[in-house]
Structure formats: C-alpha cells, structure tokens
Amino acid sequence: DSVEVVIDNRGKAPMPVKLVVTRADSSADTVMVPVDVWLGGAKRTTVRVAREPTVKRIEIDPGNEFPDIDRSNQRWPR
C-alpha cells in the first residue's frame, strides 16, 4: 500500500528536505522532512508515500533551494 523512500544525510549542514513525488497520472505530491530529523543526529530517515497512483519519479529539492555538493543523487530513477 506504500513505497518507502530512504533519505541519507551525507553533509554537515542540517537542512529540511523537500521531496516531490510525481505520479503516472501527472499529479505530484510534496513531502517535507523537517530539519529536526537531522538535528537529533540521524544520518538516515525513511518516508512512506502512497503506492497508487503509480510513482513515476521522486526528486529531492527540485528547485535547488538548498546547498548540495552532489545533485546527481537527488532523483529516482536516475
């Protein structure tokens, strides 16, 4: 009934995560992971999103609002 999206914190500056899930019907859902997740020392978190309509694409920070040294790992599928 859902899809797990695992997000790793690979940096040293905690930031919130804006996750956009694009569906096969062209709709898009935005999920926000608060910065508090990282402030507690976590290096990984899991977000669950509905499986249907079918997930076509997942992208972290599509508007490039936050600093990131490696933007090549922000989309699925790559």
Side-chain angles (χ1 to χ4, degrees):
D1 68 331
S2 63
V3 174
E4 286 188 353
V5 179
V6 178
I7 303 168
D8 289 329
N9 178 6
R10 297 181 180 176
K12 296 180 181 178
M15 303 276 175
V17 177
K18 182 178 183 179
L19 187 70
V20 177
V21 180
T22 304
R23 310 259 178 199
D25 67 358
S26 298
S27 65
D29 302 321
T30 300
V31 178
M32 293 297 293
V33 177
V35 69
D36 299 354
V37 169
W38 314 120
L39 293 177
K43 293 295 182 186
R44 176 177 283 182
T45 192
T46 302
V47 176
R48 297 179 74 84
V49 297
R51 183 177 299 277
E52 298 296 330
T54 302
V55 175
K56 184 176 180 181
R57 180 179 178 152
I58 299 173
E59 188 168 7
I60 295 173
D61 188 27
N64 298 327
E65 299 171 37
F66 300 102
D68 193 331
I69 59 171
D70 182 8
R71 294 203 178 272
S72 69
N73 62 2
Q74 303 214 153
R75 282 186 296 280
W76 175 90
R78 290 185 186 175

